[in-house]
Amino acid sequence: MDYGTILQILDSAVRLMTPLLLACLAGLYSERAGVFDIGLEGKMLMAAFSAAATAAVTGSVWLGLMAGVLAAVGMSLIHGLAAITFRGNQLISGVAINFLASGLTVLLGQSWFALGGRTPLLEGAARFGSITLPGAEAARAIPVLGPFYAEVVSGHTALVYVAALVVPGTWWLLYRTRFGLRLRAVGENPASVDTAGVSVPRLRWAAVAICGVLTGLAGAYLATGLSAGFVKEMTAGRGYIALAALIFANWRPWRALGATFLFGLMEAVANRYPELDLGPVTIPSMVMSALPYLLTVIILAGFIGRATPPRAGGEPYVKER
Amino acid sequence: MTRLPRWADLVLVPLISLALAFAISALVILSIGQNPVEALKVMVTGALGSSYGWGYTLYYATNFIFTGLAVAVAAHAGLFNIGAEGQASLGGLGVALVALSLPWPHWGIALPAAMIGAALFGAMWAFIPAILQAKRGSHIVITTIMFNFLAAALLNWLLVNVLRPPGSMDPASAPFPETTQLPHLTDMAAAVGIEWGRNTPANISFLIALAACLLVWLLIWRTPLGYEIRAFGRSERAARYAGIRPTRIIVVAMMISGGLAGMMAINNVMGEAGRLLLNSAEGAGFIGIAVALMGRNHPVGIVLAALLFGFLYQGGAELALWTAIPRELIVVIQALVILFTGALDNMVRMPLGRLLGRS
Amino acid sequence: MALSGTQGTAPPAIELRGISKAFGPVQANRDISLIVPAGTIHGIVGENGAGKSTLMSILYGFYRPDAGQILVGGRDAGITDSQSAIRAGIGMVFQHFKLVPNFTVVENVILGAEDGALLAPSVSRARKELRRLAADYQLEVDPDAVVETLSVGHQQRVEILKALYRQADILILDEPTGVLTPAEADHLFRILKGLRDRGKTVILITHKLREIMEITDNTSVMRRGEMVATVPTARTSPEQLAELMVGRKVLLRVDKAQAAPGAPVLELSGLRMVDRAGVERLRGIDLTVRAGEILGIAGVSGNGQTQLLDILGGYPETGAQVTGTARLAGGALPLTGTDARARRHAGIGNIPEDRQAEGLVMEFSAWENTVLGRHRDTGRALMDNEAIRSRAAAQMERFDVRPRDPELAAKNFSGGNQQKIVVAREIESRPILLLVGQPTRGVDIGAIEFIHRQLIELRDAGAAILLVSVELDEIMALSDRIAVMFDGRIMGERLPQETSAAELGLLMAGASPSGIPPEQGQPEASHSEPSKGLI
Amino acid sequence: EPALVFDLGGKFDKSFNEAAYNGAERWKAETGGTYKELEMQSEAQREQALRRLAESGLNPIVTTGFAFGEVLNKVAPDYPETRFVIIDTVVDQPNVQSNVYAEPEGSYLAGVLAGMASKTGTVGFIGGMDIPLIHKFRCGYAEGFKSVRPDGKVITNFTGTTPAAWNDPVKGGELARAQKAQGADVIYAAAGGTGIGVLQAAADEGILSIGVDSNQNHLHPGKVLTSMVKRVDNSVYEAFKAGEAVEPGIKLMDLKADGVGLAMDDNNAPLITPEMTAAVEQAKARIIAGEIVPHDYMSDNSCPAD
Ligand SMILES: Nc1ncnc2c1ncn2[C@@H]1O[C@H](COP(=O)(O)OP(=O)(O)OP(=O)(O)O)[C@@H](O)[C@H]1O
Ligand SMILES: Nc1ncnc2c1ncn2[C@@H]1O[C@H](COP(=O)(O)OP(=O)(O)OP(=O)(O)O)[C@@H](O)[C@H]1O
Ligand SMILES: [Mg+2]
Ligand SMILES: [Mg+2]
């Protein structure tokens, strides 16, 4: 494998990582606040559809982005209502949200565009264009690092860079601010927050809303950055992989970057080498695509590392002395 | 939290939740410029207006009874089995292996063997998440989700590389021998002189599903094992005090659950398709969640809810055929039913509690 | 500000006027008025469920009262939530700590009281403040320690520090000593006295009249949601307080004949247990319980009694390592087994410490609960529910369980009646050895007498009974022999007629009978005041 | 009243199903008739769909896609009065017309054009599901390409091994980028809906692409070299036109019958030089004349151009 191929695979991995990373961080906020969210997939799907539909109609990718974020936040609202306000079962609510998105996107898409649940192809300003970072072309001359900068770092769409910034941002917010302290506390022991005179529902609502915004970005990227329009079920399990990455990352932002990059890389490698030939063994593509799920199970089983989810996760908070 | 009288909790809450789900579905239909009343008419005539419609409704209901029972048995043990879909797919594999392995002389011999194969493979697929939950504390919801994907990948690989007959382009197994074709309800009705449900896939599995309901009822409410499952599901500590071993219950309940989900395959794989197709479970495993929630984890409720979803499924297929409403409408309805009965139930329960003036 | 109970002209620290609060049909607080003078330690006593915690939670803004007014320092404090209570200078240490286990002490302390949107300034201020508070009040804790690694006593200090960091002038403590070793309790009381001496007001909820007599200036008594009396502690007695609590003269004496112990039923030797975290919870227990006698095990909770009962019951904590030998009625009893059913089969009955979490499946009906643990005894494939129902009805009749409805879910019975269902089940199985943990916790006097009588009758019928209770009076009243447990060891055995509560209290505090300090006991333990008779 | 059943991927896949749809619409516009249409959502639905259509007396029933083969084999005998038409595979039943296309012939022409348009001498092929049918496309393409660039290289990728492979534009796009990185400057996408992603990525990356089944030249004018069209529309149109009298048996749609071909229109005109046109015309003539026989991969599961 030559350097150019490696760069190309890394470049592809960065693109494929981005929706996973955004969704994973979305889940991180929600679950760190004690609201489990297996509805990432649905929110992303809904966002992808809304973003593509709006961009197709208005011709503006930015309006599309806003619509995508709004749609995902709307789905988050349903989840918040179930999980926070009515103290329902968060897992069931997540399952319902995934189905809702899966059905609604096609239903609405078919009724608006009559393209079998697809949106029209996005062109020009209706899509995110790639951004060439300053000096990318000039840097190519520098050996090793130059091409890396030009190929892997430069030339992505805006949301890729946004996602990359969300990682340190999340870390800073979580560990360096009052909001982060309270957010982490409410996921571990909501009673501690409540008795300290801070509203548990308000914190959880904030987390769920942030989760909505980030899944919105993830979905919008999928439909208007990574591809040029919405096709049904286009998330293709990425929400679940993001969930897997979240577990893999042990609910920490920097590790989320690592985990999603790993999963993005696996996808990129599988794309490039459907039958990965490792000398003595050939790994079929099914194994490659199943690997994130398999890894998650292994992590959960505690054979590598140990997943320690937020302690109050999944439990509706009921005041108790 | 205010408490409701039992009847209200068992009947009124699900009914109101269902009504809400349907009301919102009607709004969705309106919003895509269609007429909900017309849609309902198409669904009712298509699913219940003829013996043909009923044949399909019962066929789908059979699937949902199995997966609904599967989710319910796990729920009694306090376990949320989202993996019925994968377990049902693996059940299909079990059926296919049985049906293709021997020259079965008669369906009557092939059926019990296929049932064992189906249940065994489904149970096996539930076993790993169960043992990981019991021994390593891995959250069963996440592991069963992952196992759904793993099941899909495994079946993809098997169907493409192993089970696909030479020269075929479909990722599907070879057709099962004619002799393994299960008797259709049509044939059974014809045997007693009734013409009913011609060319529909409803088959003897429906009766087996009903028998499974009875057995599950006996298991849960009449056997010591069922007592243990319920005790464990409601209080793990009390169960331990009572000498009920958590590992055993988690594993046994999940394997029964997986076995039931797997048994669905005798209906769709053996009874209908006659070969193993890709994605054979068609989401029935997830519908099992809605069915169990609606049916309050009780076999009688599950049969009723399964019929409802059978109706929705068949009605939805008719909708797609005769109107401009895509079949995805039933996915939306399914989502709303799960949402309102399973996650927003307190939204119904709280005001109802005030209304009924009980605490 | 006036010191120690003297009532000056200064407004009271707290004044409650006509507070009422109902949870559904349960009237937890009914028209309660209370004055707590500033700079005093004010005790509140009352039976379980009397409404003490509810009242304090209202004061702390955690619950909203249905009616009534709260005055702090003479002014309506406008307490609507915990935030406003904190602003009014009220701090609360809950019975179950409200700490974030994986946060450090500093993080826990600043949570909710941060100085701004960024953490750094709060953290550095908190460090300084914690150093000062530690010096002022003997509240030393490592600010960077992760809370879950701290002992219970230290965690409680963190709770107090949280309140003081928020500049609380009024500190409420809800049953603070229930989880403490006597030494830790003593340290706590020194802290509380220190707080009072610096002008702070302390409200202390406790069940232990000894503590009331020892430390409080005034005491209020609650009964069934009402405030029945507030008296200066110096002018009352434990007997009077007890009478106020229950509403009638209390005579906690059990009439029982002299025991006629027979052959040993349970013989334990060298029982050790290391829990999953690697902590040794039992450090070599030797015990014998004979037929026809009650062996009482006294001790502060958390000294290994629970582990002892769980191991004997056949359901030790998962991952625990158990060693040692045991014999039951002469035959070997494998200790490592985790088969509670086999234990029952061998004739061991078990009234667990926590009836709601262990003794009953709260969602199950009463009749289903009557076979919990014995649900496989018939050995048949199907359970005979009709037979179980009718036996349950008869049992409820005999044990006076009210309401007498076998179909009612266990959660819908009151605490005392829940306990009767458990006691009935275990006693009627005619065990040769009955394990009993905290049989009367949260149970009213009438039921206590009934349950005690049942235990004596079982003893007189020849059963061996191992009784664990934190209530010293219960141990004294029921036991034929008393063993005292401390830190996973038996500190000594006494006959009830030959010992005193004072001596037992010493043993419970870890003072070794021969006067040699125990290896594990805290050094300051020995000078803890011997407990007087608890009532 | 005739009926048309679309395969997974849906009628607006801009490709195979859409071609069928266009044929039906053409018939509708010309005759003013109506027809029933249905889209598949899952594998397991096929049988119910066919039966329901047959039950309700629709005739003929046209099914698009080889995946209906097995099911049709089972269903057709139950409805002897109904005529079925299947596209892309052969079903040997007395009431079924099987339409098969000479994909190698059309693909051969595409390969010739790719060979002439390529500057790097490396071209790409992205297939949908990895099945012999798609290898037919690949093999013809490779042969045509090698006929003009004997030393050239064809990079091949498939999106998957299941029907989901027809509908994964994201992966299609990634594969196209990977092929470009390996030097490919013309990429032929025989991948249904996935091809949309391939064509998009190729346009974004500034290389050429070749569409399939339908004329996809208009998707990115000036960036799609050509499209290898299968005249599925003609099959559907003719079946509808024949109505209940549709002829059972095998119907071969090859170059001669105008069943396959390259799409040339205004959108790709700037890309096509006169030499290219000449070369393609010449190859076409020789194929029709039988002088060139592009290899049918499915005849022996191998490709001489490999
Ligand atoms: N959140 C609640 N919901 C319903 N009932 C409650 C709630 N909290 C308290 N109660 C009821 O209110 C009454 C008073 O309870 P409270 O906890 O105040 O008693 P307490 O005096 O603190 O008892 P203990 O000594 O056991 O701590 C009890 O009957 C209790 O069951
Ligand atoms: N949280 C609750 N919700 C609903 N009902 C309750 C609740 N707590 C108690 N009850 C009901 O109120 C009644 C009184 O309960 P409580 O525990 O206060 O009894 P009690 O007077 O303390 O009796 P005992 O002395 O036997 O414990 C019980 O019959 C119970 O059914
Ligand atoms: Mg209390
Ligand atoms: Mg009580």
Side-chain angles (χ1 to χ4, degrees):
Chain A
M1 205 189 296
D2 62 301
Y3 189 51
T5 310
I6 292 173
L7 288 184
Q8 199 276 325
I9 290 177
L10 289 178
D11 185 38
S12 171
V14 169
R15 279 193 299 274
L16 294 169
M17 167 193 78
T18 299
L20 298 178
L21 179 59
L22 286 166
C24 182
L25 292 170
L28 190 146
Y29 279 97
S30 183
E31 303 208 344
R32 272 297 181 119
V35 180
F36 274 176
D37 195 352
I38 56 176
L40 295 174
E41 176 88 357
K43 290 177 194 169
M44 240 161 108
L45 190 66
M46 201 70 205
F49 170 74
S50 305
T54 308
V57 172
T58 62
S60 158
V61 68
W62 295 105
L63 288 178
L65 182 67
M66 270 169 58
V69 167
L70 278 181
V73 170
M75 298 297 263
S76 280
L77 240 52
I78 298 177
H79 193 52
L81 211 59
I84 305 169
T85 308
F86 290 111
R87 298 182 208 133
N89 186 321
Q90 302 173 4
L91 299 170
I92 292 177
S93 167
V95 171
I97 282 171
N98 288 338
F99 280 118
L100 196 60
S102 159
L104 267 187
T105 48
V106 178
L107 210 60
L108 296 178
Q110 175 64 18
S111 125
W112 292 345
F113 304 108
L115 293 173
R118 208 184 280 267
T119 61
L121 270 189
L122 303 178
E123 287 166 62
R127 286 177 71 208
F128 278 106
S130 52
I131 296 170
T132 306
L133 293 185
E137 284 316 307
R140 272 184 201 281
I142 306 166
V144 187
L145 281 184
F148 180 83
Y149 178 72
E151 288 285 333
V152 181
V153 180
S154 171
H156 294 289
T157 57
L159 288 182
V160 174
Y161 301 109
V162 170
L165 290 178
V166 175
V167 177
T170 299
W171 175 84
W172 182 80
L173 197 66
L174 224 48
Y175 296 104
R176 289 290 178 267
T177 70
R178 174 174 63 191
F179 174 73
L181 184 77
R182 293 176 174 186
L183 191 83
R184 286 183 289 135
V186 84
E188 293 289 334
N189 183 3
S192 70
V193 173
D194 196 9
T195 52
V198 182
S199 161
V200 173
R202 203 179 303 167
L203 273 171
R204 291 197 163 166
W205 272 113
V208 164
I210 296 174
C211 172
V213 171
L214 291 178
T215 44
L217 296 180
Y221 174 74
L222 214 50
T224 60
L226 197 55
S227 44
F230 177 85
V231 295
K232 70 179 171 192
E233 299 296 342
M234 86 177 302
T235 42
R238 285 188 173 82
Y240 295 109
I241 297 201
L243 207 59
L246 184 58
I247 294 165
F248 205 73
N250 223 348
W251 291 266
R252 290 185 164 82
W254 284 107
R255 293 200 204 172
L257 179 68
T260 51
F261 181 74
L262 178 70
F263 290 170
L265 187 65
M266 287 198 292
E267 199 181 339
V269 170
N271 282 349
R272 187 65 185 264
Y273 304 103
E275 309 280 311
L276 188 56
D277 187 356
L278 295 178
V281 281
T282 303
I283 302 175
S285 63
M286 265 92 174
V287 174
M288 291 297 283
S289 58
L291 219 49
Y293 307 116
L294 206 59
L295 273 177
T296 308
V297 172
I298 292 171
I299 296 285
L300 275 171
F303 293 122
I304 314 174
R306 186 112 193 103
T308 41
R311 245 166 278 216
E315 295 294 325
Y317 176 61
V318 185
K319 252 185 208 235
E320 229 174 357
R321 291 143 306 142
Chain B
M1 175 103 21
T2 45
R3 268 184 294 151
L4 288 176
R6 204 173 131 78
W7 65 271
D9 207 43
L10 287 181
V11 180
L12 210 52
V13 172
L15 281 185
I16 294 177
S17 301
L18 196 63
L20 279 172
F22 282 154
I24 295 184
S25 305
L27 289 181
V28 170
I29 297 176
L30 275 177
S31 77
I32 60 170
Q34 304 285 331
N35 183 344
V37 179
E38 277 308 307
L40 186 65
K41 259 189 216 154
V42 171
M43 290 176 76
V44 171
T45 34
L48 310 175
S50 64
S51 70
Y52 174 85
W54 270 102
Y56 267 99
T57 301
L58 290 186
Y59 162 72
Y60 287 123
T62 308
N63 288 340
F64 305 151
I65 290 174
F66 279 119
T67 54
L69 288 175
V71 175
V73 168
H76 278 295
L79 303 164
F80 186 14
N81 179 11
I82 304 197
E85 183 76 7
Q87 292 143 18
S89 315
L90 262 286
L93 180 62
V95 166
L97 293 182
V98 167
L100 293 170
S101 63
L102 289 175
W104 298 98
H106 189 263
W107 67 265
I109 305 168
L111 178 60
M115 283 167 64
I116 293 171
L120 218 60
F121 272 66
M124 182 189 75
W125 209 244
F127 171 76
I128 306 168
I131 197 80
L132 289 178
Q133 164 87 67
K135 293 278 186 201
R136 322 274 316 182
S138 325
H139 203 308
I140 202 150
V141 169
I142 307 288
T143 44
T144 48
I145 289 176
M146 299 301 148
F147 266 71
N148 283 338
F149 286 104
L150 292 175
L154 176 66
L155 280 166
N156 276 356
W157 186 79
L158 284 174
L159 285 174
V160 170
N161 298 295
V162 181
L163 291 172
R164 176 161 60 176
S168 163
M169 291 194 283
D170 292 353
S173 77
F176 303 159
E178 281 295 318
T179 49
T180 62
Q181 177 59 56
L182 298 180
H184 286 156
L185 292 188
T186 314
D187 312 333
M188 298 167 73
V192 294
I194 303 167
E195 201 197 307
W196 184 92
R198 209 167 55 85
N199 283 325
T200 62
N203 61 72
I204 194 167
S205 306
F206 177 65
L207 304 180
I208 297 173
L210 293 183
C213 285
L214 185 68
L215 286 177
V216 166
W217 178 80
L218 273 175
L219 168 77
I220 295 293
W221 279 281
R222 282 292 178 273
T223 66
L225 177 62
Y227 182 94
E228 296 187 337
I229 288 175
R230 287 183 297 126
F232 175 80
R234 281 159 188 76
S235 168
E236 177 164 351
R237 283 185 61 197
R240 277 171 51 79
Y241 159 83
I244 299 166
R245 287 210 293 279
T247 307
R248 181 169 168 272
I249 294 300
I250 292 174
V251 168
V252 168
M254 278 303 287
M255 287 182 72
I256 293 174
S257 173
L260 283 165
M263 288 265 281
M264 177 192 123
I266 60 163
N267 186 46
N268 64 335
V269 175
M270 194 173 186
E272 201 243 4
R275 58 185 182 140
L276 183 60
L277 297 168
L278 203 62
N279 188 22
S280 62
E282 268 199 293
F286 295 111
I287 293 185
I289 297 169
V291 167
L293 283 172
M294 282 268 345
R296 288 292 189 263
N297 296 327
H298 192 286
V300 173
I302 286 170
V303 170
L304 293 177
L307 283 172
L308 174 76
F309 271 92
F311 155 76
L312 284 177
Y313 240 61
Q314 170 57 12
E318 294 284 319
L319 267 188
L321 199 55
W322 308 117
T323 72
I325 303 174
R327 203 164 182 274
E328 272 75 9
L329 176 68
I330 57 176
V331 180
V332 173
I333 297 180
Q334 174 192 344
L336 292 169
V337 169
I338 293 178
L339 187 68
F340 282 103
T341 56
L344 287 173
D345 47 341
N346 286 335
M347 190 171 88
V348 174
R349 206 168 274 137
M350 284 171 179
L352 207 59
R354 275 195 292 275
L355 206 69
L356 295 174
R358 281 270 302 255
S359 61
Chain C
M1 195 159 285
L3 280 181
S4 191
T6 44
Q7 315 232 335
T9 46
I14 300 279
E15 183 174 357
L16 302 179
R17 291 183 185 160
I19 301 281
S20 290
K21 174 79 185 172
F23 294 107
V26 182
Q27 189 72 39
N29 287 166
R30 188 187 315 253
D31 190 23
I32 289 186
S33 297
L34 172 70
I35 291 179
V36 179
T40 63
I41 297 180
H42 194 105
I44 296 184
V45 292
E47 284 188 301
N48 295 108
K52 307 178 295 287
S53 299
T54 304
L55 186 64
M56 291 305 114
S57 296
I58 289 172
L59 181 52
Y60 189 61
F62 205 54
Y63 289 140
R64 291 223 194 171
D66 301 332
Q69 203 187 4
I70 301 170
L71 283 75
V72 177
R75 283 199 316 274
D76 189 331
I79 291 174
T80 52
D81 53 19
S82 299
Q83 193 74 58
S84 48
I86 292 167
R87 269 200 305 275
I90 299 173
M92 180 148 174
V93 177
F94 289 86
Q95 197 170 346
H96 300 285
F97 301 149
K98 310 292 182 187
L99 298 170
V100 183
N102 59 355
F103 277 19
T104 62
V105 171
V106 177
E107 286 175 322
N108 267 290
V109 166
I110 60 174
L111 179 66
E114 306 88 346
D115 291 331
L118 297 186
L119 282 186
S122 311
V123 171
S124 60
R125 184 170 77 86
R127 273 181 212 286
K128 232 179 290 157
E129 187 67 11
L130 284 181
R131 265 200 301 278
R132 189 182 67 76
L133 290 170
D136 280 6
Y137 299 104
Q138 307 185 26
L139 279 165
E140 302 81 7
V141 279
D142 173 8
D144 294 313
V146 175
V147 160
E148 61 195 342
T149 65
L150 297 176
S151 70
V152 176
H154 278 78
Q155 293 189 9
Q156 190 175 58
R157 283 185 210 174
V158 178
E159 284 284 17
I160 296 173
L161 285 168
K162 267 168 69 176
L164 296 178
Y165 184 75
R166 288 160 172 74
Q167 293 171 336
D169 285 321
I170 301 152
L171 188 65
I172 306 166
L173 296 104
D174 194 350
E175 296 190 35
T177 57
V179 289
L180 299 186
T181 64
E184 286 175 326
D186 280 340
H187 189 101
L188 171 68
F189 285 171
R190 280 201 297 282
I191 293 168
L192 296 185
K193 282 176 185 154
L195 288 167
R196 174 180 61 191
D197 294 345
R198 282 172 175 75
K200 308 242 184 223
T201 307
V202 176
I203 300 178
L204 176 70
I205 299 178
T206 179
H207 285 294
K208 300 177 186 167
L209 296 180
R210 174 178 75 87
E211 295 173 353
I212 291 288
M213 302 312 293
E214 185 183 326
I215 193 175
T216 64
D217 300 303
N218 300 299
T219 304
S220 294
V221 183
M222 290 186 70
R223 185 170 74 225
R224 303 212 167 249
E226 293 184 59
M227 187 63 78
V228 291
T230 298
V231 291
T233 309
R235 275 186 253 141
T236 186
S237 66
E239 289 75 16
Q240 191 197 358
L241 289 177
E243 188 182 334
L244 284 168
M245 276 163 64
V246 261
R248 63 175 161 94
K249 265 250 174 299
V250 184
L251 205 130
L252 253 184
R253 174 159 302 130
V254 181
D255 290 325
K256 58 171 188 188
Q258 186 65 39
V265 173
L266 176 71
E267 296 159 274
L268 276 182
S269 73
L271 174 61
R272 287 174 188 278
M273 189 267 234
V274 179
D275 71 10
R276 182 158 50 175
V279 181
E280 190 171 18
R281 308 306 288 265
L282 297 177
R283 302 165 182 271
I285 303 278
D286 303 311
L287 274 183
T288 303
V289 194
R290 296 170 177 281
E293 76 164 354
I294 297 179
L295 174 67
I297 295 193
V300 178
S301 69
N303 278 291
Q305 301 98 314
T306 305
Q307 286 77 9
L308 176 64
L309 288 178
D310 289 356
I311 290 170
L312 292 176
Y315 53 102
E317 176 193 315
T318 35
Q321 285 185 4
V322 182
T323 53
T325 57
R327 300 180 71 75
L328 184 71
L333 180 71
L335 280 173
T336 46
T338 56
D339 194 343
R341 229 159 51 79
R343 295 294 158 85
R344 285 196 176 80
H345 222 69
I348 301 182
N350 186 352
I351 298 171
E353 290 183 307
D354 188 337
R355 60 178 162 266
Q356 302 205 336
E358 292 191 330
L360 296 166
V361 177
M362 299 298 276
E363 317 278 317
F364 274 12
S365 60
W367 69 265
E368 282 179 298
N369 271 302
T370 61
V371 290
L372 185 67
R374 302 181 192 280
H375 51 278
R376 278 187 187 274
D377 282 5
T378 60
R380 273 188 303 211
L382 295 186
M383 294 170 82
D384 185 352
N385 288 349
E386 283 324 303
I388 297 170
R389 271 197 183 88
S390 62
R391 253 188 293 126
Q395 211 171 59
M396 290 170 82
E397 184 74 39
R398 280 195 295 280
F399 279 76
D400 190 28
V401 179
R402 282 180 255 182
R404 213 148 288 168
D405 179 2
E407 299 295 333
L408 201 63
K411 64 177 178 193
N412 293 332
F413 288 89
S414 72
N417 285 301
Q418 286 168 352
Q419 184 70 341
K420 284 188 200 166
I421 295 174
V422 176
V423 169
R425 179 181 71 214
E426 298 304 318
I427 285 187
E428 296 227 327
S429 72
R430 293 288 136 203
I432 58 170
L433 169 68
L434 182 64
L435 309 172
V436 185
Q438 321 294 353
T440 56
R441 183 187 270 171
V443 168
D444 75 34
I445 304 266
I448 288 177
E449 284 173 346
F450 182 82
I451 290 168
H452 284 176
R453 210 169 54 238
Q454 295 296 324
L455 293 177
I456 298 290
E457 273 175 27
L458 187 70
R459 178 201 74 167
D460 291 345
I465 296 178
L466 182 67
L467 167 73
V468 167
S469 175
V470 292
E471 304 295 332
L472 211 44
D473 54 319
E474 183 166 68
I475 293 282
M476 296 281 274
L478 284 179
S479 311
D480 300 311
R481 278 187 300 132
I482 299 172
V484 180
M485 232 175 136
F486 173 76
D487 196 26
R489 282 194 185 79
I490 300 291
M491 301 303 290
E493 250 183 57
R494 296 291 183 273
L495 294 176
Q497 56 275 21
E498 290 171 7
T499 187
S500 64
E503 189 191 16
L504 294 177
L506 264 175
L507 292 172
M508 283 164 66
S512 100
S514 55
I516 304 162
E519 299 154 44
Q520 293 294 320
Q522 273 86 352
E524 67 259 53
S526 50
H527 60 255
S528 90
E529 192 152 324
S531 61
K532 314 177 184 97
L534 283 191
I535 291 184
Chain D
E1 189 181 359
L4 176 59
V5 194
F6 300 103
D7 202 352
L8 299 168
K11 70 177 164 184
F12 294 108
D13 62 356
K14 302 251 178 276
S15 181
F16 181 71
N17 290 299
E18 195 160 332
Y21 171 71
N22 290 335
E25 286 296 303
R26 172 143 55 93
W27 172 82
K28 184 171 160 183
E30 281 181 18
T31 64
T34 58
Y35 66 96
K36 186 98 255 159
E37 60 175 23
L38 193 57
E39 289 179 70
M40 282 300 97
Q41 320 279 344
S42 83
E43 284 298 306
Q45 266 183 337
R46 298 181 194 281
E47 183 167 338
Q48 180 182 2
L50 287 191
R51 287 192 185 281
R52 190 68 183 102
L53 293 172
E55 288 283 328
S56 40
L58 294 160
N59 199 357
I61 297 171
V62 182
T63 62
T64 62
F66 66 89
F68 282 102
E70 196 69 41
V71 169
L72 192 56
N73 215 1
K74 190 170 153 196
V75 171
D78 289 348
Y79 303 94
E81 305 301 312
T82 307
R83 291 286 160 92
F84 295 91
V85 176
I86 187 158
I87 286 167
D88 257 6
T89 193
V90 176
V91 170
D92 191 11
Q93 294 287 350
N95 55 339
V96 177
Q97 182 192 76
S98 306
N99 283 252
V100 288
Y101 299 82
E103 288 93 358
E105 297 181 358
S107 298
Y108 187 97
L109 301 186
V112 169
L113 204 56
M116 299 185 71
S118 172
K119 293 182 179 63
T120 59
T122 300
V123 295
F125 175 86
I126 293 176
M129 194 172 154
D130 188 352
I131 48 170
L133 176 67
I134 300 304
H135 281 274
K136 271 165 93 169
F137 286 83
R138 179 184 66 84
C139 189
Y141 176 66
E143 281 187 311
F145 174 71
K146 292 272 168 76
S147 74
V148 287
R149 301 288 280 260
D151 306 327
K153 195 170 134 206
V154 184
I155 307 168
T156 300
N157 287 108
F158 288 89
T159 17
T161 48
T162 65
W166 303 123
N167 205 10
D168 194 347
V170 171
K171 188 162 182 188
E174 288 301 323
L175 287 174
R177 288 191 176 88
Q179 294 195 342
K180 190 224 166 190
Q182 290 164 271
D185 60 353
V186 183
I187 299 176
Y188 179 23
T194 301
I196 291 173
V198 176
L199 269 50
Q200 179 74 54
D204 290 349
E205 297 282 326
I207 59 175
L208 295 173
S209 55
I210 298 176
V212 82
D213 294 345
S214 284
N215 181 351
Q216 298 182 322
N217 297 357
H218 65 280
L219 290 179
H220 305 280
K223 291 173 178 166
V224 179
L225 181 62
T226 183
S227 300
M228 199 293 275
V229 290
K230 272 164 77 169
R231 300 307 299 266
V232 177
D233 52 339
N234 285 351
S235 297
V236 175
Y237 174 81
E238 278 159 27
F240 274 23
K241 205 160 150 191
E244 297 175 15
V246 72
E247 286 276 310
I250 297 178
K251 195 169 165 198
L252 179 63
M253 306 279 285
D254 56 8
L255 268 181
K256 192 152 73 187
D258 221 8
V260 293
L262 294 188
M264 299 293 182
D265 59 14
D266 290 349
N267 292 312
N268 67 346
L271 299 170
I272 307 293
T273 60
E275 297 84 66
M276 289 181 185
T277 314
V280 168
E281 285 305 329
Q282 189 199 357
K284 184 175 173 183
R286 293 183 62 195
I287 291 172
I288 291 173
E291 292 164 33
I292 303 175
V293 183
H295 184 75
D296 181 357
Y297 178 87
M298 282 169 80
S299 62
D300 60 356
N301 279 359
S302 78
C303 182
D306 287 345

